[in-house]
């Protein structure tokens, strides 16, 4: 199975890029400002970069947009976090310069770095931090401001000990607090912004963060241009720099066509292209461009199964699905060696993830036997039926993942040999969000591309307890997963929690509740060789706070 680009000869691909580059020049020429031309770049100390992105989302309300795969790039430069989490999941000080917790992990004391300010001049003090903690926890649902979905649901309250010290209280042990403060939803926003109604929060120009950049200009559906704060002096020590950013401006420009994004970087009219096709990466590396495929901390790419929808209410059918997918073929055919095989339903770089790759071995014979035992009979056309109904699986390709439809097409071929009839449906980002939901009546398998920081938060969202997301439509029917969930939630040390997390991962895979495809690389970057020094954090966002730009060849 191949996509259209991989069917083209190298000569034809170069011709396509050259043509696309010409079109891209016209697109980028519409963007006024210092980031539009290389001539301006050469004149400015520090330089200006243009980042081409395929979407800028549909709202700028901070709570609702901070975890977006698209808007998260902008928020990561406009807003800081209390804690920095690196690509290995290690938490280190940022705005919270140190912290302590009590023996039961129900009370945490955060000591704040002093002298930090939001771009509106408001201090980042205990009062500001408490305002953020409160809105992350509860949102303002009547206004349409959502809670941050992985902020601990055990949050009770926070109190100011003094201007630089916050004490945070939880109803139950909450080991995941500190790493979750580095999650991309946990952005620090000025209390003045938080106090605004949702309609005003939706105006990006009215949002004030404490980050190294501020919003210079933005146009809905077109671009966002950021300019650096010259007084910024509180970056995370873990990235090796704490003063003002080096680059003068960053412009995020909306260009929906992937070939135009790539061609613009090749022609020197842009510096970064987001969400390139995996099949293009090898040739782009050969041409001298920087290619980055960071893995974020979170779930692997896979399918959350709706256990209320027949035939996936039958464990043997789910187990057959688990055994019937050839994951190595996905990497060999759709991806490159930059991608890794899944070993659990949690990414292997997440602290607490364990290796259960033995449960994910491709075994079509086992799948056939399980389906036979479940009463599914293969017909002359190769499709299995039971009680007059075909063995049907509808896959909804995830628009947030560039290769999703290609993977679905390959899985359709693999499962078709076993007896499945697979239907693939593809929607744009907005329609996908409207039609495809966890536990939806007509959605047997929801494709997951979700990040998180702390593995202990996972158990709490898999079922419906405490407003969990009920991924597998189990409600409270599975007492085993409920017991593991509750024990993980009440664990007050990492050592006590570790075997419980291991048991949860094994059980979910054995039951076929989650069907991993591959470890996820959701964010793919193609970058000019003139741009260096960017850093990828725990959720795989590129931070250009530490980046520098030179003229090509220097």
């Amino acid at each position: 199975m191949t996509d259209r680009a991989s069917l083209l000869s190298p000569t034809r691909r170069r011709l396509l890029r050259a043509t696309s580059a010409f079109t891209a020049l016209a697109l980028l020429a519409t963007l006024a400002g210092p980031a539009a031309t290389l001539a301006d770049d050469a004149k400015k100390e520090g330089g200006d970069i243009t980042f081409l992105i395929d979407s800028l989302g549909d709202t700028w309300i901070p709570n609702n947009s901070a975890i977006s795969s698209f808007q998260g790039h902008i928020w990561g430069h406009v807003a800081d976090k209390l804690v920095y989490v690196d690509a290995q999941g290690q938490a280190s000080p940022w705005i919270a310069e140190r912290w302590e917790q009590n023996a039961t992990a129900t009370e945490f004391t955060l000591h704040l770095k002093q002298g930090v300010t939001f771009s509106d001049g408001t201090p980042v003090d205990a009062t500001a931090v408490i305002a953020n903690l409160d809105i992350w926890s509860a949102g303002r649902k009547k206004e349409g401001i959502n809670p941050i979905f992985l902020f601990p649901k055990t949050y009770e309250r926070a109190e100011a000990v003094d201007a630089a010290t916050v004490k945070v209280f939880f109803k139950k042990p909450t080991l995941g607090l500190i790493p979750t403060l580095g999650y991309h939803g946990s952005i620090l926003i000025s209390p003045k912004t938080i106090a605004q109604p949702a309609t005003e929060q939706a105006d990006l120009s009215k949002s004030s963060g404490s980050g190294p950049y501020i919003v210079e200009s933005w146009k809905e559906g077109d671009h966002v241009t950021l300019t650096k704060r010259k007084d910024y002096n509180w970056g995370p020590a873990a990235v090796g720099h704490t003063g003002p950013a080096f680059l003068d401006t960053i412009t995020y420009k909306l260009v929906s066509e992937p070939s135009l994004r790539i061609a613009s970087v090749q022609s020197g009219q842009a510096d970064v292209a987001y969400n390139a096709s995996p099949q293009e990466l090898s040739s782009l590396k050969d041409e001298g461009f920087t290619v980055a495929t960071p893995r974020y901390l979170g779930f692997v790419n896979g399918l959350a199964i709706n256990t209320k929808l027949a035939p996936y209410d039958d464990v043997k059918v789910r187990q057959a699905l688990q055994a019937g997918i050839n994951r190595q073929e996905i990497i060999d055919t759709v991806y490159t060696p930059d991608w890794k095989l899944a070993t659990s339903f949690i990414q292997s770089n997440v602290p607490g993830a364990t290796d259960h790759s033995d449960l994910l071995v491709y075994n079509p014979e086992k799948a056939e036997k399980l389906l036979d035992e479940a009463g599914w009979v293969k017909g002359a056309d190769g499709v299995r039926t039971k009680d007059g109904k075909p063995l049907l699986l509808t896959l909804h390709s995830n628009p947030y993942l560039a290769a999703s439809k290609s993977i679905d097409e390959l899985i359709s071929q693999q499962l078709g040999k076993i007896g499945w009839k697979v239907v693939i449906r593809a929607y744009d980002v907005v329609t996908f969000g409207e039609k495809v939901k966890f536990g939806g009546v007509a959605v047997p398998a929801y494709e997951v591309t979700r990040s998180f920081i702390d593995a202990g938060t996972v158990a709490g969202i898999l079922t419906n307890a405490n407003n969990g997301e009920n991924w597998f439509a189990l409600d409270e029917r599975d007492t085993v997963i409920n017991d593991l969930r509750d024990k993980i939630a009440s664990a007050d040390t990492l050592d006590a929690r570790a075997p419980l997390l291991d048991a949860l991962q094994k059980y979910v895979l054995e039951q076929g509740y989650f069907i991993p495809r591959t470890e996820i690389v959701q964010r793919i970057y193609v970058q000019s060789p003139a741009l260096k020094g960017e850093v990828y954090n725990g959720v795989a966002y590129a931070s250009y706070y530490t980046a520098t730009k030179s003229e090509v060849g220097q």
Side-chain angles (χ1 to χ4, degrees), residues 341-344 346 348 352-360 502 505-506 509:
L341 285 171
T343 57
S344 176
I346 299 173
S348 61
T354 47
D355 188 343
H356 293 284
S357 50
D358 58 311
L359 299 174
L360 303 176
D502 178 63
Q505 291 167 74
K506 180 180 180 182
L509 296 174

Side-chain angles (χ1 to χ4, degrees), residues 172-187:
K172 296 180 180 179
T174 307
L175 290 171
L177 172 66
I178 297 303
T180 300
L181 295 178
Y183 180 61
H184 57 315
S186 304
I187 57 172

Side-chain angles (χ1 to χ4, degrees), residues 119-147:
S119 59
D120 63 9
T122 304
V124 182
D125 57 11
T127 299
V129 168
I130 291 169
N132 278 272
L133 292 168
D134 287 346
I135 200 163
W136 296 342
S137 172
R140 295 205 298 267
K141 293 181 181 179
K142 290 183 179 179
E143 290 185 51
I145 299 174
N146 301 328

Side-chain angles (χ1 to χ4, degrees), residues 129 141 154 165 169 187 226 260 393 408 519:
V129 168
K141 293 181 181 179
T154 51
T165 312
F169 299 86
I187 57 172
L226 309 179
L260 296 184
L393 177 63
D408 287 343
E519 291 218 4

Side-chain angles (χ1 to χ4, degrees), residues 218-496:
W218 77 287
K219 182 179 179 182
E220 189 74 50
D222 184 72
H223 78 279
V224 177
T225 296
L226 309 179
T227 187
K228 74 176 180 181
R229 282 186 67 175
K230 294 181 180 179
D231 63 340
Y232 187 84
N233 193 32
W234 46 82
V239 301
H241 177 58
T242 57
F246 300 116
L247 295 171
D248 294 317
T249 68
I250 308 170
T251 294
Y252 291 87
K253 173 71 176 172
L254 180 63
V255 177
S256 58
E257 173 55 47
S259 62
L260 296 184
R261 296 196 298 271
I262 296 300
S264 298
V265 173
Q266 290 176 307
S267 67
Q269 294 301 304
D271 303 279
V272 187
Y274 189 53
N275 279 350
S277 168
Q279 288 90 350
E280 294 279 3
L281 300 184
S282 179
S283 61
L284 287 164
K285 285 181 184 177
D286 291 343
E287 292 175 28
F289 294 94
T290 303
V291 171
T293 55
R295 292 179 300 147
Y296 65 34
L297 302 165
F299 296 99
V300 301
N301 176 233
L303 305 172
I305 302 301
N306 184 344
T307 61
K308 282 186 177 177
L309 190 65
Y312 303 99
D313 53 350
D314 186 334
V315 64
K316 288 188 176 181
V317 174
R318 299 195 303 269
Q319 290 171 337
L321 187 60
Q322 192 76 283
I325 294 177
N326 187 338
R327 296 164 176 88
Q328 185 63 56
E329 188 179 24
I330 293 173
I331 291 177
D332 293 343
T333 307
V334 179
Y335 287 134
T336 73
D338 294 307
W339 274 255
K340 297 179 182 292
L341 285 171
T343 57
S344 176
F345 66 89
I346 299 173
Q347 299 266 81
S348 61
N349 56 332
V350 174
T354 47
D355 188 343
H356 293 284
S357 50
D358 58 311
L359 299 174
L360 303 176
V361 174
Y362 177 51
N363 191 337
E365 294 80 13
K366 175 183 177 181
E368 297 256 17
K369 184 174 183 292
L370 285 164
L371 291 173
D372 289 341
E373 292 173 356
W376 291 92
V377 179
K378 188 177 286 188
D381 60 355
V383 176
R384 290 177 180 266
T385 60
K386 181 179 180 180
D387 299 329
K389 297 179 180 179
L391 182 59
L392 178 66
L393 177 63
T394 301
L395 298 176
H396 299 83
S397 299
N398 191 329
Y400 291 98
L401 189 64
S404 180
K405 190 169 185 291
S406 297
I407 297 173
D408 287 343
E409 289 169 350
L410 181 55
I411 288 175
S412 175
Q413 295 175 20
Q414 295 173 352
L415 296 179
K417 296 174 183 177
I418 297 169
W420 258 278
K421 178 181 179 181
V422 180
V423 175
I424 299 171
R425 294 177 181 163
Y427 303 112
D428 61 24
V429 169
V430 174
T431 309
F432 181 82
E434 293 171 349
K435 291 183 176 290
V436 185
K437 303 180 188 304
F438 287 118
V441 174
V443 180
Y446 184 102
E447 184 189 337
V448 173
T449 52
R450 297 283 289 278
S451 61
F452 60 81
I453 294 295
D454 180 67
T457 63
V458 171
I461 68 172
L462 297 183
T463 71
N464 64 351
N466 298 316
N467 297 313
E469 297 183 9
N470 201 24
W471 275 22
F472 315 125
L474 289 167
D475 301 324
E476 292 292 301
R477 290 180 290 121
D478 189 324
T479 57
V480 175
I481 200 171
N482 294 346
D483 182 57
L484 287 168
R485 173 199 67 204
D486 295 342
K487 287 179 177 177
I488 288 169
S490 63
D492 55 12
T493 68
L494 294 176
D495 286 344

Side-chain angles (χ1 to χ4, degrees), residues 5 16 25 32 63 74 81 84 92-93 212 214 221 306 316 370 389 391 515 530:
L16 175 62
L25 291 176
N63 265 38
I74 287 86
K81 300 180 182 68
Y84 182 77
S92 60
I214 61 174
N306 184 344
K316 288 188 176 181
L370 285 164
K389 297 179 180 179
L391 182 59
I515 312 296

